[in-house]
């Protein structure tokens, strides 16, 4: 997360924790103003198991009020996790994302669907049906189940070392095979 996104996230947490109604009202207004300035919307009432990884910040990210998002999910720009509130619709409800899901730029998850742990949603994919654990949804295609357990860590270089996002903090990668692959691809 960028510095601005960290501040916004702390405000969201404070909104959820505040019990005194006048204080919560003020925090929510401050949070909504920060979201507006950042160009995204993550409802303070949405539930997250942990702080998500927002590689490009909050800009364009939309998460509805009733959505539930697991731990260590990666949400790129222009991602939508939206509820369907049309009473006569078969998809009435809100999405539930498992842990370690990876949502590419522009991915949309709409309505009462479950996205299993470690699922990958390709850029601009539109998900209206549930995706199994380790499922892959390529842009424009149906879900495919992976033959192995997926690892959806978000990696970047910091201070000359490869680091990944885990539970709100950046950790140095230690596994030689992963470092070899990253270093071989990104000189």
């Amino acid at each position: 997360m960028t510095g601005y996104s960290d501040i916004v996230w702390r405000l969201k947490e404070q909104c959820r924790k505040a019990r005194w109604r006048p204080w919560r009202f003020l925090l929510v207004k401050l949070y909504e103003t920060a979201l507006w300035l950042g160009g995204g919307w993550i409802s303070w009432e949405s539930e997250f198991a942990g702080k998500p990884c927002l590689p490009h910040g909050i800009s364009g990210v939309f998460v509805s009020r009733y959505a539930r998002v697991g731990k260590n999910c990666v949400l790129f720009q222009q991602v939508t996790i939206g509820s369907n509130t049309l009473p006569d619709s078969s998809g009435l409800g809100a999405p539930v994302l498992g842990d370690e899901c990876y949502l590419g730029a522009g991915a949309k998850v709409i309505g009462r669907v479950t996205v299993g742990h470690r699922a990958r949603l390709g850029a601009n994919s539109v998900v209206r049906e549930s995706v199994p654990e380790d499922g892959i949804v390529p842009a424009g295609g149906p879900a495919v189940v992976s033959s192995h357990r997926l690892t959806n860590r978000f990696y970047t270089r910091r201070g000359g070392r490869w680091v990944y996002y885990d539970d709100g903090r950046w950790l140095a990668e230690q596994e030689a095979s992963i470092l070899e692959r990253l270093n071989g691809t990104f000189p």
Side-chain angles (χ1 to χ4, degrees), residues 3-152:
Y4 184 77
S5 294
D6 283 332
I7 292 167
V8 171
W9 193 257
R10 280 190 226 119
L11 274 170
K12 180 188 182 325
E13 297 288 304
Q14 292 304 312
C15 290
R16 290 189 60 81
K17 290 178 185 176
R19 296 291 172 235
W20 190 50
R21 291 176 70 95
W23 180 239
R24 182 176 2 176
F25 176 81
L26 290 172
L27 285 171
V28 168
K29 291 302 172 196
L30 182 60
Y31 175 68
E32 289 174 348
T33 301
L35 288 173
W36 180 78
L37 291 170
W41 182 264
I42 299 176
S43 173
W44 70 272
E45 294 171 291
S46 59
E47 294 180 28
F48 284 75
K51 189 190 297 186
C53 180
L54 300 168
H56 299 288
I58 199 168
S59 181
V61 174
F62 174 87
V63 180
S64 75
R65 174 182 186 182
Y66 301 106
R68 293 190 332 227
V69 179
K71 187 176 180 180
N72 288 329
C73 289
V74 179
L75 309 177
F76 279 87
Q77 69 277 14
Q78 305 302 320
V79 162
T80 296
I81 303 170
S83 297
N84 177 347
T85 58
L86 299 170
D88 61 347
S89 171
S90 62
L92 178 65
V96 175
L97 275 65
D99 296 339
E100 300 175 25
C101 292
Y102 190 96
L103 281 67
K108 312 289 186 252
V109 183
I110 309 295
R112 186 184 64 229
V113 297
T114 299
V115 177
H117 299 304
R118 299 171 306 280
R120 289 183 189 169
L121 310 183
N124 295 316
S125 59
V126 178
V127 175
R128 297 176 306 158
E129 296 179 8
S130 292
V131 178
E133 283 189 9
D134 300 306
I136 299 170
V137 180
V144 178
V145 178
S146 176
S147 59
H148 62 284
R149 184 180 171 126
L150 299 173
T151 301
N152 288 329

Side-chain angles (χ1 to χ4, degrees), residues 1 6 50-53 71-72 164-170:
M1 268 193 192
D6 283 332
K51 189 190 297 186
C53 180
K71 187 176 180 180
N72 288 329
Y164 62 91
Y165 191 84
D166 184 29
D167 202 19
R169 51 184 198 213
W170 293 98

